[in-house]
Amino acid sequence: MKNKIMIIASIMAISSNELSAQTGEELFNNKCSFCHSTSRPADMSKVTAPAIMGVMRHIKMSYPDKDKAISFMKDYILNPSMDKAICMPQKIKRFGVMPSQKGLVTEKELDIILPWIYDKFPPKSFRGMREGRGMGQK
Ligand code: HEC
């Protein structure tokens, strides 16, 4: 009996280690990219949220400081509201306020995801969706 518990405990320890070893990219793909596309969406009618490069462009316009941007996003993702939002009003009108991700993503995971999206998006060549360079990889 004791042995069994030991085995279960070590399996749990291994799998939780694996979880914490996930990269920002993997976590983003699991938790956020369902709504926030990382590329220019092919079919706009299926889009449920602004693509992440557009989101990050606006975040950086409002919060040029990385730490402030991260703490703003961390709060927003768990407690979103209309009056905090930095997204353009027409986006909010179209998509609604982002649903709180409380219970779906942990603060620990956000500590990994947020610096990654801050550094990665928008890609350097990005000049807004209109100009058609949203797909630029760098
Ligand atoms: C169920 C769909 C959905 C999921 C899942 C989702 N978002 Fe959002 N998100 C939205 C929508 C819709 C908006 C635009 C409206 C708004 O700003 O609230 C948005 C806006 C945002 C904004 C801009 C907030 C602002 O100030 O306006 C950030 C940053 C963001 N999301 C990050 C994330 C991250 C990181 C994740 C993953 C942990 C995530 N989102 C998961 C739908 C989603």
Side-chain angles (χ1 to χ4, degrees):
M1 187 58 190
K2 231 183 182 172
N3 265 345
K4 243 189 200 158
I5 292 173
M6 287 295 288
I7 291 168
I8 291 170
S10 53
I11 290 173
M12 280 167 63
I14 292 167
S15 50
S16 70
N17 268 342
E18 265 171 14
L19 265 186
S20 63
Q22 278 190 307
T23 64
E25 183 168 19
E26 285 162 350
L27 286 167
F28 183 85
N29 285 340
N30 286 338
K31 310 262 175 179
C32 322
S33 70
F34 174 70
C35 292
H36 295 288
S37 167
T38 56
S39 60
R40 171 190 280 273
D43 181 356
M44 285 308 277
S45 70
K46 296 216 173 72
V47 171
T48 57
I52 197 65
M53 56 273 250
V55 170
M56 291 314 294
R57 187 158 170 257
H58 285 275
I59 289 280
K60 287 177 184 178
M61 274 152 54
S62 301
Y63 297 93
D65 180 76
K66 183 171 176 178
D67 290 341
K68 292 208 176 95
I70 288 175
S71 59
F72 168 78
M73 291 191 285
K74 201 166 168 180
D75 169 64
Y76 191 87
I77 289 161
L78 301 172
N79 305 293
S81 78
M82 186 82 121
D83 39 277
K84 278 191 238 168
I86 55 82
C87 266
M88 290 178 288
Q90 69 264 33
K91 299 267 173 179
I92 309 256
K93 215 168 157 194
R94 172 156 178 216
F95 300 117
V97 171
M98 169 163 153
S100 170
Q101 300 300 299
K102 223 178 241 167
L104 301 172
V105 67
T106 64
E107 290 200 22
K108 249 191 174 158
E109 289 167 333
L110 287 175
D111 287 337
I112 303 172
I113 297 171
L114 299 176
W116 181 78
I117 55 174
Y118 187 93
D119 290 340
K120 176 97 180 162
F121 297 103
K124 285 212 174 68
S125 64
F126 185 69
R127 306 265 184 291
M129 286 307 212
R130 287 267 160 75
E131 283 84 351
R133 297 212 197 123
M135 289 291 268
Q137 272 310 299
K138 230 193 149 160

